[in-house]
Amino acid sequence: RECGHYLLLTLWQLLPVAMSQEARELPKTDSTSCFLTYTDSDLESNEERSRDSPRPVENRGGRELKCSQSMRVKLWVRGGLTVIALGIGATACWYYAFGHSTGEHPASPKGTVGLTKEQGVLKGRTSNNVDSLPWHHGTKDFCGQHEKDLEFHTRRALYSVDGVASAEMCCAECDGEPQCGAWTYGANRNIEDVGGICFLKALGNNEMPMRVRRPGLVSGLLQDRLRKHGVVAQLVSGDTWGETQEETAIRANETCPGPIRVAGLGALRVSSARWLAPGEQAAKVKTGMQDNEVEPMLSGRAYLASNCTVGASSQEDMGALKLLGKTLRYSVDMSGAGCGCLAQLHLAPMRHATKISQCGDFHCDVSGSCGNRCPEVAVQDANQYAWSTSLHVLNDTRGISVGYGGTREGTGRRNWDDSSYGPGAGCIDTHWPFNVAVSFLVDGAGELDGMQVFLSQDTHDCVLSARIDMYNFQSRDGLREFSATLDMGVTPVVSYRSSDDLQWLDGVGADGKGPCIRDAPEACPASVRFYGFGISDAAGVQTSVGNTEGSSFKGAIAGIHDFLEERARKKVTEEIHAEVEREEIKHNGMSDCVGDCNMHLGNKRPSGPYIEMKSQNIEWQVTINVFIRSAKSFESDVLGMKLVGQVIMGKREGDWVKLENEAGYVAVHREGVNFLEERVVTYEKIFAGNCHHAGLFPIEDQFTCRKAGFALGYFDGKVNLYSGNQKRPEGCYIFHGGLWVAENPANRGNGAMGVREPICSSRPYPTTTTTTTTTTSTTNTNTVTSTTTTTTTWGSPSLFCFCVMMRSTYEYGLVREQVRQRVGIFSTCDEHAVFSQDAPFSLGKLSHGKGAEVKAQWFQKARVGKSEDGTAGNALLFVHVFKAIKRDGRFRKLDWTIKADPDAVVLPERIRKHLSRVTNPFSYLVNCNKMNYKPPFPMIFGAFEAFSSEALVKFLDQGGVERCMRELPYQKFGEDKFMGNCMKILHAHEFDDFQVLADQRCLGANCRDGVAGAYHDFKGIKEWFQCWGQATST
């Protein structure tokens, strides 16, 4: 009978979705698993969906779902079938509600069905009540079986995470990475460079990892996702640069946004803070049209006060709500506020503060963020994934808390789990607004006996609750102290902020069962809402603010909403996964396969050899001879020297690199002189051919071999050297899980040999030329002096070249042909990149398919209007491009960054000659003087631009872009005009060179002039290569 009810209830919510085209992709269910399958489907968080997907809102007349136009049409067309489905569900609901006897929890609203469980937490006894629905299934064992003393290997390594406390936390890291399916953890902390490191690995369809025995390690496969969050948010978060801090920052005349009505109390005033912390300006706080809501913008904070004076703060104005024996009620909308976002409602005795704070008002809290410390009731510290309600007596910053979420240490709050609280959860679905009630219960003597919090939602017939009824701190009775605090009155403080350090709230905890593996503050929405405030006696708590009529329909619509969000999220990553699968097929010689092209792997080892790959590895190359120091100081002892061209391995610590394979430190720079350049490389283990055949380079020294092997997950503590005469792969290779380097020069050019598989790098290691001079003295004793000179040939100055293209235009074919023939920016630029809002996609391989593959990188779309000059108003779009360049990171290690249009014919060697005349390292190029210094000339023509590394660092890493967007009307500018004016604001040196660009829109383009480094514009493939041929033959 129960199973039949589950089936009807599932139909009730899913039938409207099933009628639509989208529902064809939903998993099939049976009568025993249908409801669990629905509630356990991998619906990801609001923070990880497309920014264009609908956002639910609630108005005063009931909830209104804002959908896309196509969604509205589909709902209207299928409206009749939806009514029939709801009729079936309503009948089942009536039968369930009135045909069964129900239990009623004494602290829950009347008619709530539930079970109770008790659980203790730190610093005292707490109880929590979860009124269980049929889908309340608890936290699963998602890690599966741990395999000790084994190291897992798959086709594609992802990355490693340092400082992981347990195997469970390593498994949670894997759960939060959408591409991860297997993991290896250094459980033995005594193993150098391995202990405490979690290594994540992708797992393809039907793939099982290769197992290598390695004592001290633990490995596992992810059995069942719990939907850990934070990684995808960083990948797909919308760009927030369009709305700058200046636009949301509060002004002196905006500190009193309006009144707020509190049921059971009357009207209060909203008083906005001007400063979040000393020197940190706060954002605006808005109020609703009918005085019933408070909406803090990101970085906003406000107090519910008895009075408000514009631009001033008065101690007497602070609210003083006497809540002992009372219940405070409100509703909150945190949709979109994911990992790294923090919506807060605190209570503090601000009217009784003894002095004005360093923030210019009377703010106080337990941590003293503005200088004033006081006891604090944290009614809400929350986001979509985690909730904390806590008490803090004076000086107890840790306090006692209940709710759900991890901590930096220990297991964290586990009163609830992600099946009952979170996006798509069965009780509190944080995609939607929900209701909060906190009761300050008293005993017969009128003293505080406990604090209980209730969370409820109109669309679900359940209540989450948790209670704190004992609190001791350093032999102090915390509840008794709060009796006095609550009796003399507290001020409600509403705030909203973001941080990449919120693991105390939403981290996974030592058991790995918390919600967020990392925080993504860049994905936080612009604001959150608090509304429907009320105060009543603590007896007879009413947790629902509003009615439940129509909640069934809302539940069905919520199901549709969640499913569409999941589709939007999947669309962002599906092309990435498709590209990876296609690449694996190509590498394994299966490009012409028929039917299922997936590689089926055995349980212990893949049935055939395969490629392993790990990208984004950091190496350092010496640009100027530099000493090795014993400490991070130029006054410390000299241990040796690194010569120009050498590549070293180490970890950056401030302005120094700590060497990995030998003692000592090397300075990155000093007084504007750079000693080291960062190199970003990809390591690959190949199974056929040699490194050059794969478009890669061999690794010939044992230190780099160890680093590459470690990056690929081979935690071998040593590298074996083979000096024999038998044939071996060139350089670094893997043999039965161990690392080897073949030293014999006779092996040059050798590739994979059976189970001996080379490890290659995407970057070459400079070839050194050694000259030895021997001098003999005139005495009978010969004195031999050897002088070794090492030289390296690199492009000077070094260039990072990129272009921006649209896949749907002529640019796609033009750039593909440039890649195929390895010309233009793909010829001799030290590094190159292609960016597209349609990415990711492949542009083919260099050198007629023999070189490395070029893939377009994604950047966030932006609306392109018309500039004040009549050109494309694309400044914001290129701000997004530069954000992608910042994420790429390679611009920092090269002298110049070159932007070239796809239809510009670029000759990097000529560009080097032009830029070699620049003496100021903080420079940008101005390339057109069409009107002979008549304003606005000279200026940047955007077909070809050049910025020094120092200029782009100032622009991207040191707040330059934000400053320029505040001070310039960028909406009216084209990209070239915006960048030119921005460089002036940042006081970059203007380098004028009117011969470097030959542009038909400036002074003409003669491809035979033998001078220009770029010619523009040649949109056809034939015209482009005709110009290239003329320019290179001149």
Side-chain angles (χ1 to χ4, degrees):
R1 188 172 63 180
E2 249 186 352
C3 185
H5 163 66
Y6 297 165
L7 179 58
L8 287 174
L9 189 56
T10 304
L11 289 173
W12 180 8
Q13 291 199 355
L14 287 188
L15 194 54
V17 186
M19 297 299 177
S20 68
Q21 178 69 25
E22 289 83 354
R24 297 178 185 176
E25 296 179 28
L26 284 174
K28 296 181 179 179
T29 63
D30 55 48
S31 59
T32 59
S33 65
C34 56
F35 205 87
L36 292 178
T37 301
Y38 167 60
T39 56
D40 279 345
S41 62
D42 193 18
L43 299 180
E44 291 292 304
S45 67
N46 191 329
E47 71 165 13
E48 295 168 353
R49 70 175 187 238
S50 166
R51 283 302 175 108
D52 295 328
S53 57
R55 176 179 178 181
V57 298
E58 184 171 351
N59 59 22
R60 288 170 293 280
R63 187 170 290 108
E64 173 194 358
L65 180 65
K66 292 185 177 179
C67 298
S68 65
Q69 186 64 32
S70 61
M71 189 63 207
R72 291 195 193 99
V73 172
K74 292 175 183 176
L75 287 175
W76 278 108
V77 170
R78 299 176 178 89
L81 293 175
T82 302
V83 171
I84 296 173
L86 292 177
I88 296 172
T91 303
C93 184
W94 177 88
Y95 172 77
Y96 183 76
F98 297 101
H100 297 70
S101 60
T102 61
E104 180 177 324
H105 193 281
S108 304
K110 186 175 181 179
T112 301
V113 184
L115 301 175
T116 304
K117 64 178 181 179
E118 300 292 330
Q119 178 178 328
V121 297
L122 298 172
K123 289 192 178 181
R125 300 192 313 272
T126 68
S127 63
N128 63 86
N129 308 319
V130 179
D131 292 333
S132 302
L133 288 171
W135 58 79
H136 180 70
H137 55 272
T139 301
K140 297 181 179 177
D141 183 9
F142 64 103
C143 284
Q145 182 179 358
H146 298 176
E147 301 190 34
K148 296 183 179 180
D149 298 328
L150 285 178
E151 180 180 272
F152 279 5
H153 290 272
T154 65
R155 290 188 184 94
R156 192 160 58 95
L158 296 176
Y159 52 83
S160 60
V161 182
D162 296 340
V164 176
S166 65
E168 289 77 13
M169 291 185 71
C170 182
C171 184
E173 289 280 349
C174 183
D175 182 79
E177 168 55 63
Q179 301 180 73
C180 182
W183 52 272
T184 293
Y185 173 66
N188 188 340
R189 294 300 188 103
N190 295 322
I191 302 179
E192 185 179 1
D193 297 330
V194 175
I197 294 180
C198 174
F199 203 90
L200 307 183
K201 304 157 190 293
L203 202 61
N205 293 335
N206 302 316
E207 180 183 2
M208 288 297 290
M210 179 184 74
R211 290 160 165 81
V212 175
R213 180 167 178 78
R214 197 85 71 191
L217 304 183
V218 175
S219 297
L221 300 176
L222 198 63
Q223 297 296 318
D224 187 14
R225 287 199 180 274
L226 281 181
R227 304 196 307 270
K228 306 296 172 193
H229 305 282
V231 173
V232 176
Q234 293 177 319
L235 298 176
V236 304
S237 62
D239 194 349
T240 59
W241 289 11
E243 185 172 23
T244 64
Q245 180 68 21
E246 181 67 21
E247 294 172 16
T248 61
I250 190 169
R251 299 179 177 87
N253 62 351
E254 296 174 328
T255 57
C256 297
I260 182 78
R261 290 185 291 104
V262 180
L265 180 65
L268 294 175
R269 304 289 296 183
V270 177
S271 177
S272 300
R274 294 195 62 190
W275 304 95
L276 279 183
E280 181 181 354
Q281 189 173 12
K284 301 174 185 177
V285 177
K286 302 177 182 179
T287 56
M289 294 181 64
Q290 295 189 9
D291 306 338
N292 70 338
E293 70 177 57
V294 180
E295 182 181 0
M297 306 296 287
L298 190 59
S299 298
R301 180 169 66 207
Y303 315 111
L304 303 192
S306 58
N307 192 25
C308 184
T309 304
V310 175
S313 179
S314 170
Q315 187 174 11
E316 291 75 19
D317 289 346
M318 292 295 99
L321 279 61
K322 296 188 177 184
L323 297 178
L324 192 61
K326 301 289 184 180
T327 293
L328 172 65
R329 296 178 285 107
Y330 63 93
S331 296
V332 62
D333 180 1
M334 297 187 295
S335 55
C339 304
C341 312
L342 179 59
Q344 299 176 295
L345 192 151
H346 289 195
L347 304 172
M350 292 174 52
R351 181 175 286 187
H352 306 281
T354 58
K355 61 179 180 179
I356 194 168
S357 74
Q358 297 173 14
C359 295
D361 53 26
F362 290 88
H363 179 83
C364 68
D365 53 41
V366 69
S367 62
S369 60
C370 288
N372 287 353
R373 295 181 183 271
C374 65
E376 189 174 18
V377 180
V379 173
Q380 172 185 327
D381 287 307
N383 56 37
Q384 277 196 297
Y385 298 101
W387 181 281
S388 172
T389 296
S390 57
L391 292 173
H392 303 264
V393 295
L394 190 63
N395 298 323
D396 184 11
T397 55
R398 186 173 183 179
I400 180 172
S401 62
V402 293
Y404 170 59
T407 60
R408 294 188 180 93
E409 300 174 356
T411 58
R413 297 167 298 282
R414 296 293 183 266
N415 302 84
W416 315 316
D417 59 30
D418 67 344
S419 69
S420 55
Y421 179 92
C427 192
I428 303 298
D429 180 356
T430 53
H431 282 324
W432 300 88
F434 58 93
N435 312 307
V436 183
V438 58
S439 296
F440 300 95
L441 309 172
V442 295
D443 57 19
E447 297 288 337
L448 184 64
D449 187 49
M451 179 177 71
Q452 188 158 12
V453 61
F454 304 88
L455 306 184
S456 65
Q457 196 166 41
D458 296 347
T459 54
H460 294 111
D461 296 325
C462 63
V463 172
L464 297 184
S465 66
R467 175 170 170 161
I468 298 174
D469 56 14
M470 180 176 288
Y471 175 24
N472 294 313
F473 174 68
Q474 297 180 350
S475 302
R476 293 157 54 186
D477 187 338
L479 294 183
R480 182 172 294 275
E481 289 188 25
F482 269 108
S483 292
T485 301
L486 294 170
D487 188 51
M488 67 183 181
V490 289
T491 302
V493 184
V494 174
S495 63
Y496 175 47
R497 62 186 180 88
S498 63
S499 172
D500 59 3
D501 187 25
L502 289 182
Q503 292 291 287
W504 59 268
L505 171 69
D506 54 25
V508 297
D511 61 357
K513 295 179 180 178
C516 300
I517 63 169
R518 68 195 59 167
D519 294 312
E522 62 269 30
C524 292
S527 65
V528 295
R529 292 192 309 135
F530 299 82
Y531 62 97
F533 290 91
I535 295 176
S536 61
D537 292 335
V541 177
Q542 173 58 259
T543 59
S544 178
V545 182
N547 62 71
T548 60
E549 182 180 357
S551 61
S552 306
F553 178 74
K554 294 167 185 173
I557 297 300
I560 298 172
H561 183 259
D562 282 349
F563 178 69
L564 292 180
E565 283 182 356
E566 171 65 1
R567 288 200 64 197
R569 184 196 69 83
K570 284 183 177 179
K571 188 174 181 180
V572 177
T573 56
E574 64 184 0
E575 287 198 31
I576 298 176
H577 292 278
E579 285 290 336
V580 171
E581 291 176 6
R582 286 195 292 269
E583 181 179 8
E584 290 174 353
I585 291 172
K586 291 176 185 177
H587 280 312
N588 287 280
M590 301 174 63
S591 57
D592 297 324
C593 62
V594 178
D596 185 6
C597 292
N598 291 322
M599 299 188 65
H600 298 276
L601 305 181
N603 185 43
K604 291 299 181 183
R605 179 181 172 87
S607 58
Y610 61 96
I611 287 176
E612 294 182 53
M613 179 179 68
K614 172 63 175 67
S615 59
Q616 299 298 309
N617 305 284
I618 303 301
E619 299 176 346
W620 300 90
Q621 186 163 16
V622 180
T623 57
I624 298 176
N625 293 349
V626 59
F627 289 122
I628 304 172
R629 301 279 181 174
S630 61
K632 292 183 287 187
S633 168
F634 290 102
E635 307 301 323
S636 60
D637 294 337
V638 174
L639 303 180
M641 176 177 283
K642 294 294 182 183
L643 303 178
V644 172
Q646 284 186 289
V647 175
I648 63 176
M649 308 298 160
K651 184 176 182 181
R652 183 161 187 167
E653 297 181 0
D655 293 333
W656 296 79
V657 170
K658 182 180 180 180
L659 300 179
E660 288 183 2
N661 305 300
E662 57 186 305
Y665 298 84
V666 174
V668 177
H669 59 82
R670 184 182 188 182
E671 296 178 355
V673 178
N674 293 325
F675 302 119
L676 302 179
E677 284 186 350
E678 186 180 272
R679 294 177 12 134
V680 181
V681 300
T682 296
Y683 302 126
E684 287 192 25
K685 186 202 76 172
I686 61 176
F687 67 87
N690 61 30
C691 294
H692 294 289
H693 292 155
L696 302 170
F697 303 91
I699 297 171
E700 299 185 359
D701 72 281
Q702 63 187 97
F703 299 124
T704 308
C705 181
R706 183 175 184 273
K707 180 179 178 68
F710 185 87
L712 292 170
Y714 290 90
F715 297 121
D716 198 351
K718 63 177 181 178
V719 177
N720 305 285
L721 299 178
Y722 180 76
S723 304
N725 295 322
Q726 295 185 21
K727 287 187 176 182
R728 292 291 186 268
E730 179 181 4
C732 178
Y733 64 93
I734 287 287
F735 178 59
H736 291 312
L739 294 170
W740 291 78
V741 170
E743 292 186 307
N744 193 332
N747 289 311
R748 292 193 182 279
N750 289 349
M753 298 177 178
V755 294
R756 295 180 174 89
E757 300 169 324
I759 296 179
C760 312
S761 171
S762 63
R763 297 288 302 274
Y765 294 88
T767 302
T768 58
T769 302
T770 303
T771 303
T772 303
T773 303
T774 303
T775 303
T776 305
S777 68
T778 56
T779 63
N780 293 331
T781 304
N782 293 336
T783 302
V784 179
T785 303
S786 296
T787 303
T788 302
T789 304
T790 303
T791 58
T792 307
T793 302
W794 293 95
S796 178
S798 55
L799 306 178
F800 171 52
C801 306
F802 76 93
C803 70
V804 180
M805 59 160 289
M806 293 183 65
R807 191 176 187 179
S808 59
T809 68
Y810 72 91
E811 295 172 340
Y812 178 68
L814 180 58
V815 175
R816 277 186 65 90
E817 190 62 22
Q818 293 171 21
V819 169
R820 191 179 75 86
Q821 298 197 36
R822 198 163 192 164
V823 294
I825 67 171
F826 307 102
S827 56
T828 56
C829 289
D830 298 272
E831 297 281 358
H832 55 252
V834 179
F835 297 93
S836 174
Q837 60 191 14
D838 308 313
F841 55 83
S842 174
L843 289 160
K845 291 186 176 182
L846 297 167
S847 304
H848 300 275
K850 298 179 181 179
E853 186 174 17
V854 177
K855 292 184 178 181
Q857 299 185 47
W858 176 84
F859 69 89
Q860 178 72 28
K861 294 181 180 180
R863 178 181 171 272
V864 176
K866 192 173 183 179
S867 73
E868 61 184 12
D869 302 322
T871 59
N874 56 1
L876 182 58
L877 182 136
F878 272 87
V879 166
H880 294 175
V881 173
F882 278 108
K883 184 178 181 182
I885 290 172
K886 177 180 179 180
R887 189 166 59 243
D888 178 280
R890 286 177 288 172
F891 77 92
R892 298 184 184 90
K893 60 187 179 64
L894 299 171
D895 297 325
W896 287 85
T897 293
I898 305 298
K899 169 193 170 289
D901 283 357
D903 57 355
V905 177
V906 176
L907 287 76
E909 292 305 321
R910 286 196 198 166
I911 293 171
R912 286 191 173 95
K913 292 180 180 179
H914 284 271
L915 296 180
S916 64
R917 297 185 289 112
V918 181
T919 58
N920 189 326
F922 184 39
S923 298
Y924 70 101
L925 175 70
V926 171
N927 54 20
C928 181
N929 191 21
K930 183 176 182 179
M931 304 300 293
N932 194 22
Y933 294 98
K934 182 179 179 180
F937 293 92
M939 63 185 296
I940 296 176
F941 256 39
F944 173 83
E945 301 175 15
F947 305 93
S948 71
S949 174
E950 289 83 350
L952 272 194
V953 166
K954 180 76 171 180
F955 178 68
L956 291 175
D957 294 344
Q958 299 176 8
V961 64
E962 292 86 356
R963 178 181 174 186
C964 292
M965 294 183 75
R966 286 197 305 267
E967 299 183 16
L968 294 172
Y970 65 90
Q971 300 91 339
K972 301 178 181 180
F973 284 1
E975 176 270 341
D976 42 13
K977 185 173 183 178
F978 171 75
M979 291 300 295
N981 283 275
C982 183
M983 289 294 110
K984 293 177 181 178
I985 289 176
L986 301 180
H987 302 294
H989 170 70
E990 177 182 322
F991 173 66
D992 291 344
D993 187 336
F994 307 137
Q995 292 183 313
V996 68
L997 171 65
D999 194 311
Q1000 297 182 30
R1001 292 173 175 78
C1002 183
L1003 296 176
N1006 177 9
C1007 299
R1008 291 189 173 91
D1009 65 10
V1011 176
Y1015 301 89
H1016 182 258
D1017 61 331
F1018 299 91
K1019 301 186 184 302
I1021 294 177
K1022 180 179 179 180
E1023 291 82 2
W1024 196 98
F1025 279 90
Q1026 182 179 9
C1027 180
W1028 169 266
Q1030 293 172 353
T1032 54
S1033 62
T1034 303

